[in-house]
Amino acid sequence: MLDCAANVASLTPFLPFSALQTPRLEQLPSHPDLPGVLKKTPGGMVLVDSSLHLVPPDQIDVSLVDAILITNNSQMSALPYIMTDPMFHGRVYATEPCVLMGRLALIALCKYIEQCPTRRSEVDMNSIPSHVHPIFKQKGQIRQVYNKDVIDACFAKITPVRYNEQVDLFGLVDCVPLPAGHSIGSANWVIKAGDYKISYVSSSSKLTNHTLPMEVISLANPDVLLLSNLSLNPMYFPDNTLSEVCNVVISTVKSGGNVLIPCHSTGLYSILSSG
């Protein structure tokens, strides 16, 4: 199995969690389809007043999964669901920085939920009408967000690997992680079975920053090339936008203001900090 991310879009139909008391959210009127559980926003959206849930990869027989190869820390959010399944007996491989940062990201989510002053009730997701959001059509697939104990137990079982280290899977397949240049610890994988070669390329970057540069040569000439997280606009060059963001940040700070940029810790921040 290549990567193991949950569908984070499944968080969108839930009433936002806030670390502060927010009467505006708490006083939203109920929706008649499920009073007390469904809330209606002034804009017409319908939100579920419940604890947060995620949708792990579906239609996977985990008993058939011998190994999971992780490319970066954003592709680990479904691991606790897979690894706690009693039918899963496989192994999980990722670089050590990827393991550490992935664990911190998931624990941060759990701690944020725990710090919220308003406790959410447990709701049977099968009772939510499908018109609220497409994820509620996946009856039985929606899972509650895990806790820190589950995260620690799962991540302790992950096997950390180094770049260019050859991982032998049962004497049949060799897997090698290569620097992807996307974030600290991110990796693309070369999978070899005899003379057959598969190159798996996930989020990657040729931008020179604090990460190791993307290794391209070892990925070349595969029998099969697997690509994920492709750019929706490959002809778009972010230089102008980045320059504009930097100018706004500089002018705001000079005027005594503060700047908050919601982003992945190794995404836009990496570019700004290296500029």
Side-chain angles (χ1 to χ4, degrees):
M1 184 174 177
L2 302 174
D3 284 329
C4 192
N7 181 6
V8 294
S10 60
L11 297 174
T12 57
F14 291 92
L15 196 68
F17 275 68
S18 175
L20 303 174
Q21 292 287 351
T22 50
R24 180 174 60 86
L25 294 177
E26 297 169 2
Q27 296 172 6
L28 289 175
S30 290
H31 190 280
D33 284 356
L34 204 59
V37 175
L38 299 182
K39 302 289 186 177
K40 189 174 181 179
T41 68
M45 289 183 60
V46 179
L47 300 175
V48 180
D49 187 4
S50 167
S51 57
L52 295 180
H53 288 64
L54 290 169
V55 178
D58 60 348
Q59 299 179 346
I60 293 178
D61 185 350
V62 297
S63 66
L64 301 178
V65 178
D66 295 315
I68 300 176
L69 307 179
I70 302 296
T71 57
N72 61 75
N73 60 77
S74 67
Q75 302 295 322
M76 309 177 81
S77 53
L79 278 179
Y81 298 123
I82 301 295
M83 297 180 72
T84 54
D85 191 312
M87 299 300 293
F88 177 73
H89 302 290
R91 304 170 185 173
V92 181
Y93 298 93
T95 65
E96 186 172 1
C98 182
V99 175
L100 294 175
M101 296 181 69
R103 175 181 173 274
L104 289 176
L106 297 187
I107 289 179
L109 173 62
C110 295
K111 286 188 174 181
Y112 180 79
I113 294 175
E114 292 172 356
Q115 291 172 356
C116 293
T118 303
R119 292 290 169 226
R120 300 286 178 82
S121 58
E122 296 301 323
V123 176
D124 181 6
M125 293 295 104
N126 293 323
S127 66
I128 307 298
S130 59
H131 69 76
V132 173
H133 193 278
I135 69 162
F136 296 112
K137 296 178 181 179
Q138 305 178 46
K139 304 298 183 183
Q141 296 293 331
I142 308 173
R143 305 279 296 277
Q144 187 175 359
V145 173
Y146 28 74
N147 57 41
K148 181 179 180 298
D149 291 338
V150 172
I151 295 172
D152 287 339
C154 292
F155 275 69
K157 299 177 183 178
I158 299 177
T159 302
V161 295
R162 300 183 300 275
Y163 285 137
N164 299 303
E165 177 182 347
Q166 183 171 297
V167 179
D168 183 357
L169 297 182
F170 316 106
L172 300 173
V173 178
D174 291 326
C175 303
V176 179
L178 304 171
H182 168 257
S183 59
I184 297 176
S186 63
N188 295 317
W189 288 84
V190 170
I191 305 167
K192 291 184 178 180
D195 296 329
Y196 198 78
K197 176 181 176 181
I198 299 173
S199 294
Y200 175 49
V201 180
S202 184
S203 299
S204 301
S205 175
K206 294 287 290 181
L207 180 72
T208 302
N209 54 22
H210 59 277
T211 63
L212 288 176
M214 178 184 177
E215 167 62 43
V216 177
I217 296 177
S218 299
L219 295 168
N221 301 316
D223 296 287
V224 176
L225 176 62
L226 302 177
L227 303 173
S228 69
N229 294 346
L230 296 178
S231 171
L232 297 178
N233 189 357
M235 300 306 295
Y236 171 73
F237 295 95
D239 294 1
N240 292 336
T241 302
L242 183 59
S243 177
E244 183 179 346
V245 170
C246 291
N247 289 334
V248 172
V249 170
I250 292 172
S251 63
T252 302
V253 172
K254 282 184 176 180
S255 63
N258 298 303
V259 179
L260 297 177
I261 303 178
C263 63
H264 292 293
S265 59
T266 53
L268 178 61
Y269 177 76
S270 297
I271 301 175
L272 292 174
S273 63
S274 62

